[in-house]
Amino acid sequence: MPEDFDFDPFAEESFADPYPAYRVLRQHAPAYRRPTAEARVWPHYWMLTRASDVNDALADWRTFSSARGTLIDTDISLIPPNMFNMDPPRHDELRAILARVLTPARVAGLEEGVRASAVSIMDRLVEQGSFDAATEYAQLIPTLTLCELMDLPTADRARFLKWNLDTLAGDDFTSDVALRAYAEMGQYWTELVAERRESPGGDLISQILHNQSEGEPLSDEEIGGFCSLLHDASQNTTMNMIAGGILALGEYPDARRRLVTEPARWSSAMEEILRFVSPVQGLARTTTRDVEIGGETIPEGDQVLLLYGAANHDPAVFDDPDTLDLDRPPKNHRTFRHGIHFFLGNAVARLATRVALQVLLERIPEYEVDFAGVVRNQLVPTRGIGRAPVGFDRGSHPAAAEEAR
């Protein structure tokens, strides 16, 4: 290990490019221990960076438990319960309910609305010559998708986005700001669940209410947990995936042009873009026994950060992993986790991301990213993008060319 090496995933200097540090850790310290900044719950935590170790941990929930939370040094008793922070059997019961209602047909039915939202937003942006791909595009589409999926009023979308940023975009997930947002969300979901009990519809919440199994019935708190889970996970992951995809295709213009001229590539290309961007960089587990990894003993009861971003860029699995290569054969990546906690909302996130990028390239196939102006505001759990300035020739986009004829 280099003598001057230090890596803190919560330090601002780590946000821009963590991959050189991941390379050092994989080679010299595949199980790397670091003190927590505040020691609110744990005095330290470990990081795993090799794909094999991350995969093994994700596959072994009995040893790497989610029951004490998946956010570093966070007291989960302060935040709403959801199945991300559960182990079987209750995790499996709740997951089964969500799987029954979040069907492929329901997800596919969202595409028309997602596309309409993206086109409407892009119609305004193409007249500007530049825009912030994070705040003016990527953050808006998942919020509108959430409204359609759960039949929520679009007038509340600014509130949904604020709650998401207040709870997940910082480095203290139980700060006063975060707890206030959780409380406001809790009241909102409680009122909404009561309303849908009385007047059910075809929306996801109504379907959850009326698709419970014969096991332990869902409490209103658990149904609210579903709402919070879908609100936070689908928005946070997706908006940063969309913004990250725009940056990646700005960095690799030849790949972007291939997607414009060869749209049949989108299906396989999405897997490579997801791997390359890795919007969810890592989530935590707690060990239930002593574990030997990389020559270190991780004691029972320690918190372990599984760095999906490092696993997705591990050269032991992916050749030239730090390059976006649309010809790369699809392989299992860890963008949406693995094992029992494989993210059920991944189909919604994939759809919203693909449609957002497709609409962007249909309207503005040629653009440039001002990388000096890009602001990254987080690394874990999500590689957050606070600002992503994009510029283009207003006269070069297809709609302008059509109007000029």
Side-chain angles (χ1 to χ4, degrees):
M1 176 76 77
E3 290 184 5
D4 60 347
F5 179 81
D6 181 61
F7 177 63
D8 179 358
F10 295 98
E12 191 172 338
E13 57 267 24
S14 299
F15 298 168
D17 185 7
Y19 296 106
Y22 292 164
R23 287 194 290 272
V24 173
L25 290 173
R26 279 194 301 265
Q27 181 177 355
H28 297 285
Y32 179 66
R33 178 175 141 162
R34 180 174 184 85
T36 54
E38 303 292 337
R40 292 180 289 262
V41 183
W42 282 272
H44 60 260
Y45 63 101
W46 300 78
M47 293 177 241
L48 302 186
T49 46
R50 294 188 305 202
S52 58
D53 296 329
V54 171
N55 291 347
D56 289 348
L58 287 170
D60 184 4
W61 64 266
R62 290 179 175 83
T63 301
F64 294 88
S65 170
S66 300
R68 294 185 65 187
T70 57
L71 301 173
I72 289 295
D73 196 29
T74 298
D75 180 357
I76 63 164
S77 70
L78 300 175
I79 63 180
N82 67 68
M83 63 185 183
F84 272 1
N85 298 327
M86 296 178 188
D87 290 331
R90 192 55 176 161
H91 167 274
D92 293 353
E93 294 168 356
L94 297 181
R95 182 183 174 87
I97 293 170
L98 187 57
R100 285 198 295 272
V101 298
L102 195 59
T103 61
R106 180 182 290 276
V107 174
L110 295 171
E111 180 158 355
E112 183 178 352
V114 174
R115 178 169 289 275
S117 295
V119 167
S120 176
I121 296 167
M122 195 53 62
D123 280 345
R124 299 193 302 270
L125 298 180
V126 293
E127 301 304 323
Q128 298 177 186
S130 64
F131 64 97
D132 182 345
T135 62
E136 294 184 89
Y137 191 57
Q139 291 181 1
L140 306 183
I141 292 171
T143 304
L144 291 166
T145 305
L146 178 79
C147 289
E148 182 167 352
L149 180 66
M150 299 172 70
D151 192 20
L152 304 174
T154 57
D156 288 344
R157 64 186 185 274
R159 189 190 317 189
F160 300 144
L161 178 60
K162 183 178 186 302
W163 285 340
N164 187 276
L165 296 173
D166 285 350
T167 55
L168 287 178
D171 59 0
D172 181 356
F173 308 108
T174 55
S175 68
D176 289 344
V177 170
L179 293 178
R180 183 162 51 251
Y182 279 125
E184 292 172 0
M185 274 196 291
Q187 181 176 355
Y188 186 94
W189 300 134
T190 297
E191 293 173 357
L192 189 68
V193 168
E195 175 188 312
R196 300 291 163 85
R197 282 191 189 278
E198 292 295 321
S199 303
D203 61 281
L204 193 68
I205 300 170
S206 296
Q207 292 299 304
I208 289 172
L209 281 166
H210 297 283
N211 275 275
Q212 299 186 36
S213 64
E214 295 181 359
E216 182 182 346
L218 288 176
S219 65
D220 282 1
E221 187 178 45
E222 285 177 322
I223 298 172
F226 274 125
C227 297
S228 291
L229 173 68
L230 291 166
H231 170 273
D232 283 345
S234 62
Q235 283 195 111
N236 196 269
T237 299
T238 308
M239 71 186 189
N240 288 303
M241 182 63 233
I242 294 170
I246 293 170
L247 296 184
L249 293 174
E251 183 180 356
Y252 291 87
D254 288 344
R256 182 179 74 230
R257 290 167 189 139
R258 288 182 71 182
L259 288 172
V260 172
T261 59
E262 304 172 44
R265 285 188 169 273
W266 270 106
S267 179
S268 61
M270 277 303 303
E271 298 308 308
E272 173 64 0
I273 295 170
L274 287 166
R275 179 205 68 82
F276 181 81
V277 174
S278 293
V280 179
Q281 287 280 307
L283 289 169
R285 300 289 190 270
T286 303
T287 52
T288 60
R289 61 176 176 84
D290 292 358
V291 183
E292 298 282 342
I293 296 178
E296 299 281 357
T297 299
I298 301 177
E300 175 185 349
D302 273 12
Q303 200 170 37
V304 182
L305 178 61
L306 310 181
L307 285 166
Y308 311 138
N312 283 344
H313 285 246
D314 188 340
V317 180
F318 304 99
D319 293 335
D320 193 15
D322 296 333
T323 297
L324 180 70
D325 179 5
L326 298 190
D327 292 319
R328 189 187 305 279
K331 290 185 179 180
N332 291 332
H333 54 76
R334 297 295 166 253
T335 301
F336 296 114
R337 280 75 87 197
H338 172 61
I340 66 166
H341 287 283
F342 181 76
F343 179 39
L344 274 174
N346 83 88
V348 177
R350 286 173 190 270
L351 183 146
T353 300
R354 172 179 56 78
V355 171
L357 295 178
Q358 285 176 329
V359 169
L360 171 69
L361 297 192
E362 287 165 6
R363 307 303 298 276
I364 310 174
E366 291 295 325
Y367 66 86
E368 292 187 0
V369 176
D370 174 11
F371 284 99
V374 171
V375 174
R376 293 190 180 270
N377 52 24
Q378 191 182 55
L379 180 60
V380 293
T382 310
R383 198 172 183 210
I385 300 171
R387 185 169 182 268
V390 167
F392 57 94
D393 182 351
R394 289 176 56 193
S396 67
H397 63 81
E402 187 66 29
E403 290 171 4
R405 287 178 184 155

